[in-house]
Every structure is written in structure tokens, then in C-alpha cells.
Amino acid sequence: GFCFDWDREVRTSDPEFYTWTQWIFLKLYNSYFCNAQQKARPIEDLVKKYETKGDKNFTAEQWNAFSKKEQEDILMNRRLAFSKYGEVNWCEALGTVLANDEVVNGVSERGGHPVVKKKMRQWYLRITAYADRLLEGLETVDFSDSMKEMQRNWIGKSEGAEMDFEIKGAGNKLRVYTTRPDTIFGVDFMVVAPEHDLVNEIKSAEQAAAVDEYVAYVKSRSDVDRMAEKKITGCFTGAYAINPFDRKEIPIWISEYVLAGYGTGAIMAVPCGDERDFKFAQHFNIPITNIIGSHFNGEEANSTKEAVLENSGFLNRLLMKDAIGIAVNKIEELGIGKRKVNYRMRDAGFSRQRYWGEPFPILWNGEIPSALSPDELPLELPHVDTYGPGAEGEGPLANITEWVNTPEGRRETSTMPGYAGSSWYFLRYMDPHNSATFCDRKASDYWNQVDLYIGGTEHAVGHLLYSRMWTKVLFDLGYIGYDEPYKKLLNQGMIQGSSRFVYRISWAGMGHDGGSIDPQTLPQIFISKKYMDAIENNIAIDIDFVRHTSISLLKSIFQQISNVSFPVITANKIHVDVNIVDGYELDVEKFMQQNNGRYAESEFIYEGDEMDKYICGGEVEKMSKSKLNSVNPNELCDNYGADTFRMYEMFLGPVEMSKPWDTKGIEGVHRFLRKLWRLFFDDLKGKVWNEEKANDAELKILHRTIKKIEEDTERFSFNTAVSTFMICVNELADSKCHKKEVLENVLILLTPYAPHIAEELWNKLENEGSILDAAYPAFDGKYLIESSKEYPISINGKVRANINLALNLEQAEVEKIVLQNDIVQKWLDGNAPKKIIYVKNKMVNVVL
RNA sequence: GCCCAUGUGGCGGAAUUGGUAGACGCAGCAGACUCAAAAUCUGCCAUUCGCAAGGGUGUGAAGGUUCGAUUCCUUUCGUGGGCACCA
């Protein structure tokens, strides 16, 4: 029952749209996060403050004396959109930057070339500044708990302490972040991220080679690989840190499980309290200090906070959770560290070395960026002849020298990521044609937040966080009146394709006599899944296999492959049309008929108790034509109508659940709609609905249905709502209730579920109905009937023949029906049919 | 590896907040109507023992809490999604 207002269609790739994406980018660039007010403010406010009052690190005079570059560097540290050097996956052979999912096992997915980390200048959004507000905002929106949990975990707020450890025999210090300062006496080693700046400075001469080798290894690995690795890897640097409390020397290791981007890129490892530290210590035979007495059994770490501390100097005999605060106080007192709130979330990378994206409205003069002014927007994406990367791995725009080089400076050649436009597009729907602003404040105030946003959980930590941040920035700057974009979020599940496979015996490689066997002459044998499993598991399948294979078939195989005493059997996995598979059982006859009979002569080797089942293999994967696991919705609409299709989708299961698409049950929904129709119109009798008064039993059915449907609809439980409709119609049919009083109420409920049929019936309740009463409407006023097909036809209920009908059915224009068959024509004998009854592409009844 | 979700008959699923497990639908079986179909209607349909009456078992697995667990807790296995350049 809903519809789209196509006047409001937008495209984020349209310059009329992305001019405003660039405009918002400029707002981000020209704003900073004011910690005192916890909101975005124009960067001029900060500049003014620096010019007049200075900052804790410099006076106003110093600021004014800074060079342009120095000033810009300081401001860049505060801008909400900022540029700095960051690491990317660099593939030298392809000359381009790769996404993490284009890197598999350290090499490029395409071509298998090596991929390394490379530092390049990148743009970022300072989403970390909004971490707390993104957390708080979750309390005000109606998202699922799991969605909120995913966002909270992504933001990963933790409270702890940052502290500096002296490094033995060196001037510099190792800064670590820990949430458990109470375990300071249990630190048995340090782990530093391999890419940490200190590594090169502190590695000992003896360990240098090993460290370099390990760093090179880590460089080739993606973060995901690093985190997912079960194997424990690491390398001792040869350096020691000093525990400030007991002066114990602590060996410093590097390992890939510590990431440079999180915290300080270094941790203090407490093996008795942390599982990963424990495994690391075990693996490298590092002695473990027990500070929690019997809570540590020596076999696994125990991360409790309830233990009483031992071997812990001034913290002895304290409960761990009480010791946390005491330890931090002591650390602060000694000036070796301080309380620190840490976030797992990092600033969001905002530049891509790609062509397709919004160009940045930024010019560079050396290392100093400057922004275009809003009236220079849009900065349109220029035409390129080639999409190849720039000389230094920049995006393709770098190759257009005349575009890049302007009198005012060198253009930024990266483009914005896909999420730039999608972070604010909902606002543009509210005011899509405004050329003066991205969205008039009046329009955004009027429409307010998005009432219901429907999207998958895959957006949890990407799009949904970005658009929440952008909304907060626009709110802070006064351009919109709310700081959360989506009032309610519904995660719909993904409809997947459930692929099915048959296994065809492969003759490749079986002819050891120089390829004299023509595979075309060999029979095609499909083996059921059980045998395929046996092959894959290298189980000796011959006995079972041979026993159930037709002997003559095997003989013919062996005769042709004379050089092989027993063939090494392999089989190829072939996609089979999922529509001819019931569960996993293949409809072999249909399979043989498909593909123009390509497999009509094939042999099938079955399994099961009766040895009569061909069982397919199955995988749930992306829906795709080539995988034969897709269903054409047009075909279903043609056969069943849009209402049936819609209701069946709802009937499939909970809307938030992903599931493989399966059309098996659609017949039931269609039957329900036909049954509903028959409450109003009988196939032969025509109109059956009446104006009688409903009795108590009928009203009970009605009102129970109203209550249930209301509840189900409110909680988006559309599948149970459809069940409720079915129960209602069954009960009304059983009690032979055709009363308008009841039926019209059912139609009101049904309207959002089956709008076309509901509307059609509603009209007929008002105008007595037409001659086409018994045809079931599909959608858009069309009826479920196809012309030029062969239908069995009956006249006055008696079957006479199968005929070809050329039907030109339009609503209430029955005289246009042409029966192109002499015999039937004779029967009809010039009598215009009173009624055509059409029963789902199976049967046509003509009533004279 | 980490985070989130999920697991119930032959199949999709229901059980709304701890209270009769399997609603509703598909498939299947049997029957009615029919010359025969189609359509429609009726009955059966978790599993096991039993002629039946009736009993046992049963919501991925193993424990636990409870008078009572598909539901809550712990552990574990499988599957799907995400893990920062897909968005």
C-alpha cells in the first residue's frame, strides 16, 4: 500500500547532488570539535581564540608568529575532516591500492601479487570526537539491541590508564594503555605492535635481524589475518622495560596481535589474567607471575576482578576492583601516567585512490591544503581516458595534469568514498530540487527524522555510524534540528540463493592412452551426493558405488578406457536449477527435460533406502542467474499476481531473518487469496456476499482477527499476520459467512497486505460486481490470464474440449473474448457468454 | 581470533513476557465429487512402543537454575553477517 514519490528521486553521483556532499565536506573541513561544549564549531572560532588567547601549548603571540604551515598543521589536528599519512594495502604489481577484501592471504585476489602496507596521504573524518555522543545517541533511537551492541562494541569505549615505562639503557619510554592497572605487578612482558616507531630504536643488535624479518612478515598481512591467526607469532626485541614499582626488568616483544592503531600500540602483558597473554607466554616459555593466588590455576588465565592481590607490592591484600583506582592514583601521583578513556574506534578513512567518487574541493600548495569556496562547487568529476592509477599510486585523476594543476594549486586527486553521499541522502529527499541549500531548514523541520529506516545489519558499523555522525555535525552547526537521523531501524534479512549441485563424473584424465577417448562418446553419469562425499573424503567408494551402478554402464566405461584397470573417479560440481529440487532431492525427470534435453540420455546413480533418490549438494550463496538459484519475480507475478508474491514474501518468516529463497509454499498463499475471493463470489453462482446481520460467532471471528492483525502489524510480525488472515478466511468459509458487514472489515485489514485484491473487492462490494467476478485480479487492473495458451474449457460446467483461446480480457469487456475454435464457436452459436470463469491458468468455464 | 545473529517435524516456520511444543502453510498419504482431470472439500501427518486405550522420547550437543525451559545461565558445535578501501 505504500508508494514512492519519484519526484524526489536522487542520485548521489549527480553533480546537483554531490555539490552538496562537497559542501558538507567543506563544513567538516572548516569545523573542529569543541571539547568544552562537546560539539562542532566553525574553525574560525578556534583561530580567533588562538589569535587572542593562544592555547595551553602556545601563547597568542607565538601563534601569530607561526608560519602558515605551522598554523595549518595545528588546525589540521582539530578539523573534523583532516588529512594525514595513513597505511594502505599497496600492490606494486597492480600499481594500486586494494581493499582488505581484495587481499587474500597477503596477496591480491586477482593475480596473486604481493601486497604490502604503504604510507600515503589520506583524508579522515574525526568520528572519534563524536564517540561519546554516538554512544549516548543510541539511547534515544529505536534500533535493535544487537545493532546497538554492535555499534557500542565498535566504538569500544574503555576506561583505563596510560603509563610510561622506562626502557633499560635507553632515553625513551614505552607508553602502554591498560584497563587493568591493578595488575601492574603481574606484568611479565610487553608486547609492542611490529610497526611501532620504537621498534627500530630499541631492538638489540643480536635480535635486529629476527625483528626485521618478523616486521616484514607482518607487513604482508591484513589486520583481519592478524587478528584471526590462531598461530602464536612474535619476536623478542632484546630490549627491557622497567616496572616503575619493583624495578623488575620486563622483556619487550613484538607480535601481530597488538595493532598499532589501537591505544598506544603497546600493551603490558599479564599472563595470569589475560588469555591471549597467557598463551603467548606459554608459547615462548616466558615465566608467569601469579598475582591472584588460587584464582589462577596455571592452565588458563583468569580475568576476574574479584580476586585478592598477592605478590603486588603496595596493592597486596586489595580486592582487584578496588585496586584499579588506587593504582591509577599512584601512577598519576608519580607522574608516570594518567587516567585515560580509550576508544577502539578509529577515525574513518575518507579518501579513495579511485576514479568513481566525489572529487575533494581541496587544493594543495606543497603540504598546505586550502579549500575551495562554496560558490566554486560543484567540482565536477572530470572525464578520463584511462582508469589506471597515478604514477605514485594516486587515483586516476592524477593523470589529468591539466585538471590537477591550477594557478591556485594542485588539486587533491583522491576521491571520496561511497559512504560520503549515503551519509546524508535522506535529507535531500526532503528537499530534492533546492539549488540554494542541501535541504531547507523548513523542510527538514517539517519532515523531521526518518521514521523508519530499513536496512541490513551489514551497515551496523559503517554507513549507520557515518550518517549518524554527519547528522550530528549538521545539527551542531545549526543546519538541521535533530542529531539522530533515524528514529527507528528495521533490519530486514537478506534473501539468499540456495544453490543446488549435481555431480557429474569427470572423464578428464581417465584416458591414459593419449587422449584417444572422445568424451562426447562417453555416457554422462550423475552421482548422488553420498558418493561425491565419499570421493572427497577419499573413502574407498568402489564397492558401494559399483553395486548400485548399472553393470552394462560400467562395462561400457571400462571397455572404452582400456588402459585403466579401475578409473580414478572424480566428479564435477554443476549448478542445477533450484526450482526442480525439492529440498535436496532432484526431480530427475524434469532435470532430463531441461536444457533442451541435454541430459536426456544421462544415467543417475541414486541413494536412499530404496535407491531411488538423487540427492543434490547445497550451498547458500549470492543469488545469481549463473548459479541457477535465482527466481524471476516477474514470472511469479505473472503466474500468481503481485499480491500473492507480496504476501508470500511476508509469509516466508520473520522479516529480519536472512534465508534462502524458496518458492515451494507460494501455492498456499495463492489458494488463500482465491478462497478469500470466493467469500464474495462463487465460481459459478457469481455474487454470494450479502447484507445480512452478522451473528455473535462471526463477530467473534472478525474481532479476534482485527486484534491479532493489529498486534502482528505493530511488531512487524508479518508472517504471523498472514497466518491470521488464513485462519480467519478458513473460519468464515467453514461457517459459510458471506456477510458484507464482516467482509468489509477484513478488507480494511487486508489492504496493506494485498492491496490490489482488497481494492478490487472493495469496489465490487459497492457496485455489485461485474461479469468477470470470478477472475482473480493480479495487479494494475490486469487479470491472471494469459492469451494464446491451451486451456481446458467447459461450457455450463461440462467439460468439452481443450482449446486454444485468444483472449483479450479487459475489465468488464467480456464481449471481446474470441474463441478461435470452430467446435466451440458452434456450441456458443452466437450466444454471447454471460460469464467467463477463469481458474488459474488451468481451466476456463463459459456460462451461457 | 573478535563482535552480532541463528539452530524446533520431510520443508518454511509458530509458540507475543518461563506455563498444553509443532499454530499457519508447503509437501506427502487416504477419501469425497468427476467418465477423467482441474478446482474444491474431508481426514491423517514429530518420533518410538502398542491392535487399541495409553505410554516413552523430543526444540544442534552437554550441563545448570526452576514446581515448570524452545524461552534464562554456562560450556560447546554448526551456519549466516560484520571486522575499518563493498557500503
Side-chain angles (χ1 to χ4, degrees), chain A residues 597-666:
Chain A
R598 192 194 301 168
Y599 302 122
E601 306 292 319
S602 299
E603 294 284 340
F604 294 83
I605 298 176
Y606 300 97
E607 62 175 285
D609 294 342
E610 315 267 317
M611 284 296 159
D612 61 348
K613 287 179 165 45
Y614 188 96
I615 305 299
C616 296
E619 264 175 46
V620 171
E621 45 182 11
K622 186 176 167 176
M623 198 178 261
S624 150
K625 255 186 195 171
S626 63
K627 296 181 165 79
L628 300 175
N629 62 0
S630 60
V631 187
N632 185 348
N634 293 339
E635 208 175 286
L636 286 171
C637 279
D638 289 348
N639 284 341
Y640 297 103
D643 284 341
T644 302
F645 183 62
R646 173 202 308 260
M647 285 195 97
Y648 179 59
E649 283 196 298
M650 292 192 271
F651 189 57
L652 268 178
V655 65
E656 67 274 13
M657 212 66 83
S658 285
K659 64 176 55 67
W661 176 251
D662 191 344
T663 55
K664 264 195 314 175
I666 197 166

Side-chain angles (χ1 to χ4, degrees), chain A residues 102 135 439 541 552 564 596 615 638 735 759 771:
Chain A
E102 293 169 319
L135 283 172
C439 174
I541 57 158
S552 62
V564 185
N596 300 319
I615 305 299
D638 289 348
S735 57
E759 188 190 351
I771 200 155

Side-chain angles (χ1 to χ4, degrees), chain A residues 770-772 796 814 828 831-837 846-848:
Chain A
S770 76
I771 200 155
L772 280 169
N796 287 345
V814 73
L828 292 173
N831 296 316
K834 276 188 205 147
K835 184 173 283 182
I836 302 291
I837 295 160
V846 178
V847 179
L848 296 178

Side-chain angles (χ1 to χ4, degrees), chain A residues 100-137:
Chain A
N100 275 342
D101 51 28
E102 293 169 319
V103 183
V104 180
N105 298 324
V107 297
S108 62
E109 188 178 22
R110 294 200 182 176
H113 306 293
V115 176
V116 295
K117 295 274 162 42
K118 182 183 179 180
K119 288 213 166 184
M120 286 180 88
R121 189 173 262 291
Q122 301 290 338
W123 286 90
Y124 293 87
L125 298 185
R126 204 177 300 282
I127 194 169
T128 51
Y130 278 90
D132 277 324
R133 282 182 52 195
L134 287 169
L135 283 172
E136 289 158 16

Side-chain angles (χ1 to χ4, degrees), chain A residues 31-33 35 43 46 50 57 70-84 126 129 347:
Chain A
S31 301
Y32 75 109
F33 194 78
N35 291 315
I43 196 98
L46 189 65
Y50 287 166
N57 295 321
E70 286 167 325
Q71 288 182 345
E72 279 302 328
D73 284 350
I74 290 167
L75 292 177
M76 195 58 105
N77 279 327
R78 301 300 303 274
R79 294 181 189 276
L80 290 178
F82 66 100
S83 176
K84 67 169 185 181
R126 204 177 300 282
D347 285 325

Side-chain angles (χ1 to χ4, degrees), chain A residues 324-337:
Chain A
I324 294 175
I326 293 166
V328 181
N329 288 343
K330 189 84 175 172
I331 289 163
E332 288 188 329
E333 206 179 295
L334 293 174
I336 53 173

Side-chain angles (χ1 to χ4, degrees), chain A residues 679 695-709 724-737 742 746 749:
Chain A
L679 290 175
N695 62 35
D696 285 353
E698 291 157 348
L699 287 175
K700 194 170 176 182
I701 295 169
L702 174 64
H703 288 289
R704 204 173 52 217
T705 304
I706 291 172
K707 182 167 187 291
K708 187 79 166 45
I709 296 285
T724 306
F725 277 122
M726 289 175 172
I727 294 166
C728 170
V729 166
N730 282 340
E731 287 177 345
L732 293 177
D734 286 349
S735 57
K736 303 210 163 42
C737 171
V742 174
V746 174
L749 291 175

